[in-house]
Amino acid sequence: MNLDILTLFPEMFESPFGHSIIKRAVEKKLVQIEIHNIRNYSQSKHRSVDDYPFGGGAGMVMQVEPIDLCMQHLKEQRAYDEVIYLSPDGELFDQPMANQLSTKQNLMFLCGHYKGVDERVREHLVTREISIGNYVLTGGELAAAVIIDAIVRLIPGTIGDEQSALSDSFQDDLISPPVYTRPADYKGWKVPDVLLSGHQAKIEEWRHEQSLLRTGQKRPDLLK
Ligand code: ADE
């Protein structure tokens, strides 16, 4: 899978993909993540990438040309399944969307800043607009990092135990059951006996019951 990120703040991506599972996926070449600085495609003397909005108003707007030139450059190298713009007014990101995107080969992510991008970018260059929640971030970078984290961990081979990605909370619209590790008794806080019983069928039954119970308590909206 190839993921290309277009941003004005490339440094924001130095850390999120440099650790743990995502780092391993990159090292195993299961995914290639490239960060592109939109400013490098500015044709202006001062390398500017934004300007005042036509009609007036507060804030700056990201210009269409540098974004278009950057995208053209990338599209010469590969055909994209989706060109995604991160925006608080996009489709709400969820697990089914992560599952769907994790099956794609080439994805482009455009991170907006300031007041957003010139509307012509959205009209002509973007194929999909995604929001990670009903709140406004300072830019699309953190949203892109969240989405990429959620989809890369689903690529087969990324997580050692593939079963573990499939048994996540939300994969079957249920919250995951509680998990414990050693010691079995800490300050009198005990691990449920069934988990120490060695009786696998009973353990699975208990886990399913706990999933249902927790979903009812914490996220009743998931129980249709
Ligand atoms: N950019 C700013 N806020 C955002 C959000 N909630 N989701 C995606 N992109 C954003």
Side-chain angles (χ1 to χ4, degrees), residues 86-88 130-133 135-137 139-140 143:
L86 290 316
S87 171
I130 302 179
S131 164
I132 62 161
Y135 40 79
V136 180
L137 302 167

Side-chain angles (χ1 to χ4, degrees), residues 1-5 13 17 22 26 31-35 148 152:
M1 176 185 273
N2 296 292
L3 305 176
D4 290 284
I5 305 171
F13 292 98
F17 307 134
I22 309 299
V26 172
V31 62
Q32 174 179 307
I33 305 174
E34 282 184 16
I35 319 291
I148 289 170
V152 169

Side-chain angles (χ1 to χ4, degrees), residues 98-109:
N99 295 349
Q100 190 213 20
L101 291 174
S102 75
T103 66
K104 306 293 184 196
Q105 193 53 49
N106 301 312
L107 298 173
M108 203 190 289
F109 293 86

